[in-house]
Amino acid sequence: MLRTARLGVGIIGAGRVGPVIGAALAGAGHALTGITAGSDRDRVEAVLPGVPVLAADEILRRSELVVIAVPTEQLEGLVGGLAEVGAWQPGQLVVHTDAAFGTGVLAPAAARGAIPLAIHPAIAFTGTSMDLRQLTNAFAAVTAPGPVLPIAQALAVELGCEPIVVAEEDRAAYAEAIATATAFSRSIVGQAAGLLARAGIPEPGLYLSSLVHSTVDHALAEAGGATGEVPPVDQ
């Protein structure tokens, strides 16, 4: 199994994803240097108790690995802004978790010597410790320059995921697939639950649970048969 050395890890982004990624890496033996402020400090504290809240540039100064988990529309500006103030360090690992981008969005950091990596765990994050269990049954899309691809794969393994390499030019199609599966699933379940509620069925979400899970399992099995078997998760 690929492994990385013990690293000082800083998290930029205190939404649903960043704290969970931090907790998973801490569980793999890395040391957390800090996390940026978020609107729900109680939730973050529940996942990462005692981790210092720091400004983004201070996190870069203290960390060997920086994880960026911010909304898609903020990622490019954040990376570029930190480059403009000279915050990125040569040899520093920088990982973003956005499905929509490969490593191109990290070019301003790479131009200053940072090592760009893209890792997207394919789960629906809740921002709670429950996500740590989800990660152990998940795949993660990894994109990185060839010489450092093993580092991205090792970090995905340390999150608990099975790494799957996605080429830079394929990230847009990958992101579309993820968005389609997520939005369609939520929409259809929501519509069905609404119809059941109008039909007088109590707790429609609970009523649908077994049906939806078994239907999705069958659909996934059929998808695997159509395109080649999905490899098992090796834990």
Side-chain angles (χ1 to χ4, degrees):
M1 177 183 292
L2 294 168
R3 302 293 296 179
T4 58
R6 178 180 169 89
L7 300 169
V9 179
I11 309 296
I12 298 178
R16 294 182 178 181
V17 179
V20 174
I21 297 296
L25 291 174
H30 300 290
L32 299 184
T33 60
I35 187 169
T36 52
S39 59
D40 189 350
R41 186 58 198 167
D42 289 341
R43 178 180 52 75
V44 175
E45 180 67 20
V47 179
L48 296 178
V51 173
V53 176
L54 303 172
D57 58 347
E58 181 64 13
I59 283 177
L60 266 62
R61 189 182 71 81
R62 297 187 182 193
S63 306
E64 298 159 290
L65 166 62
V66 178
V67 176
I68 305 178
V70 298
T72 299
E73 63 273 14
Q74 297 178 16
L75 179 57
E76 186 173 9
L78 174 65
V79 175
L82 290 169
E84 288 177 3
V85 299
W88 297 110
Q89 303 175 50
Q92 187 172 53
L93 298 170
V94 53
V95 175
H96 79 74
T97 61
D98 197 301
F101 296 105
T103 58
V105 73
L106 301 175
R112 285 155 179 80
I115 298 171
L117 312 169
I119 303 174
H120 174 258
I123 70 169
F125 284 87
T126 66
T128 69
S129 59
M130 292 188 299
D131 295 339
L132 297 173
R133 292 193 294 274
Q134 286 197 82
L135 285 171
T136 62
N137 294 310
F139 293 89
V142 299
T143 304
V148 295
L149 182 59
I151 299 176
Q153 292 171 308
L155 289 170
V157 169
E158 290 188 337
L159 292 176
C161 299
E162 178 77 11
I164 302 295
V165 177
V166 177
E168 184 84 18
E169 61 271 21
D170 293 329
R171 289 291 292 215
Y174 170 79
E176 183 178 2
I178 295 298
T180 298
T182 303
F184 187 75
S185 298
R186 288 176 176 168
S187 175
I188 293 300
V189 171
Q191 289 179 38
L195 290 169
L196 287 179
R198 289 197 292 275
I201 302 297
E203 299 187 80
L206 182 62
Y207 189 91
L208 287 170
S209 178
S210 294
L211 173 64
V212 169
H213 281 94
S214 60
T215 302
V216 169
D217 285 345
H218 292 160
L220 291 173
E222 291 170 0
T227 61
E229 290 296 323
V230 175
V233 176
D234 181 12
Q235 300 295 334

